[in-house]
């Protein structure tokens, strides 16, 4: 089986065909098992999680029904061959490596960050793009009324934001400041309290010859933080603003020197 949580939940056959007939409770149950892959989960724990720690009197009976139904959906010809197993006191879902899109996302993200640390920016960009390409919408869309799934979805969404910003960093390192200004501006508007994309936008604008716009971007961020949180930008953000105002942006200077050298070589 393959499982997708980076968007609406899907359970699929190895062929990619979606498993039909999964009711909302079935999808929630499978998603909860994915939090504990290949680990026995006690019945009482499942009941607490599925009913947000406020189980009804019928919850134990309903759980037994849901388990039987999920087994039939996953293995219609022989439920005994389902990856969902009964173990002492509870149940276990067999989840082979690479069968959950969130795990594949984490693998690509980790490889991208390793490549970035090693200065291999082209490979880093490719790995991070692979990671982000797995997303089909907000994580576990439509399942966040289950508290445990809501917490997981929020962690996944934050991981997606961090990887998106990692990719912006890599593209800045590759000198793609012109190409990413528009995307960064949109991203910063979507996340007005996240300082990292605003710093990235300031750099991209400055390196594109738009230092005035970079400073204006800083002032907008500062007003937003003061108005909403009563706080000033972080020391890192303030220091970057000062470096931009004084023209002390080493990567930009290196790129100008490289461009000048290339022009000289052509003449």
């Amino acid at each position: 089986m393959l499982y997708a949580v980076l968007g609406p939940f899907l359970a699929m056959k190895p062929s990619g065909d979606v498993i039909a007939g999964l009711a909302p409770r079935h999808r929630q149950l499978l998603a909860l098992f994915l939090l504990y892959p290949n680990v026995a989960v006690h019945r009482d724990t499942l009941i607490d999680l599925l009913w947000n720690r406020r189980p009804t009197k019928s919850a134990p009976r309903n759980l037994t029904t849901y388990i039987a139904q999920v087994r039939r959906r996953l293995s219609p010809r022989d439920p005994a061959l389902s990856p969902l197993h009964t173990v002492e006191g509870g149940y276990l879902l067999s989840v082979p490596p690479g069968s959950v899109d969130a795990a594949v996302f984490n693998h690509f993200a980790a490889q991208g960050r390793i490549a970035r640390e090693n200065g291999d920016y082209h490979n880093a960009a490719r790995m991070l793009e692979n990671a982000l390409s797995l997303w089909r919408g907000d994580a576990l869309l439509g399942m966040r009324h289950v508290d445990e799934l809501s917490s997981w979805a929020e962690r996944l969404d934050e991981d997606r934001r961090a990887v998106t910003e990692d990719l912006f960093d890599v593209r800045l390192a590759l000198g793609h400041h012109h190409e990413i200004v528009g995307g960064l501006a949109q991203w910063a508007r979507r996340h007005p309290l996240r300082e990292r994309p605003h710093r990235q936008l300031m750099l991209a604008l400055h390196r594109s010859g738009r230092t005035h716009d970079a400073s204006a971007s800083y002032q907008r961020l500062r007003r937003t933080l003061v108005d909403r949180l009563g706080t000033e930008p972080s020391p890192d953000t303030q220091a970057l603003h000062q470096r931009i105002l004084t023209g002390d942006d080493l990567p930009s200077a290196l790129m100008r020197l490289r461009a000048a050298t290339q022009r000289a070589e052509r003449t």
Side-chain angles (χ1 to χ4, degrees), residues 86-106:
T86 299
V87 296
E88 185 176 355
Y91 308 95
L92 179 150
L93 182 68
S94 295
V95 182
S99 60
V100 183
D101 60 353
V104 179
F105 166 80
N106 288 333

Side-chain angles (χ1 to χ4, degrees), residues 18 32 42 48 67 97 102 119 150 173 205 215 226 236 254 261:
V18 175
L32 287 171
H42 197 277
D48 277 347
I67 291 289
S150 177
L205 287 167
S215 183
V226 169
D236 284 346
L254 288 174
T261 302

Side-chain angles (χ1 to χ4, degrees), residues 157-168:
D157 284 343
E158 176 56 30
D159 289 343
R160 182 189 191 183
R161 288 189 286 268
V163 170
T164 299
E165 291 163 11
D166 286 344
L167 180 57
F168 281 132

Side-chain angles (χ1 to χ4, degrees), residues 30-136:
L30 282 170
L32 287 171
F33 277 118
L34 295 179
L35 280 168
Y36 309 94
N38 305 308
V39 174
V41 185
H42 197 277
R43 279 179 55 85
D44 292 343
T45 300
L46 281 172
I47 290 169
D48 277 347
L49 296 179
L50 199 56
W51 278 271
N52 290 330
R53 295 176 174 79
R54 296 183 297 276
T56 61
K57 289 183 179 180
S58 62
R61 183 176 66 253
N62 289 342
L63 177 63
T64 300
T65 300
Y66 298 151
I67 291 289
Q69 291 171 339
V70 168
R71 280 195 177 121
R72 287 197 296 272
R73 300 296 189 276
L74 297 184
S75 185
R77 293 185 179 180
D78 186 355
L81 299 178
S82 166
L84 182 55
H85 310 288
T86 299
V87 296
E88 185 176 355
Y91 308 95
L92 179 150
L93 182 68
S94 295
V95 182
S99 60
V100 183
D101 60 353
V104 179
F105 166 80
N106 288 333
H107 170 76
F108 280 132
Q111 293 301 307
R113 285 164 175 159
I114 291 171
R116 180 189 60 184
E117 293 304 313
N118 291 334
D120 185 1
Y121 297 121
H122 288 288
N123 192 45
R126 183 168 61 87
M127 291 293 104
L128 296 174
E129 287 166 355
N130 286 344
L132 293 170
S133 71
L134 295 168
W135 285 78
R136 299 167 291 109

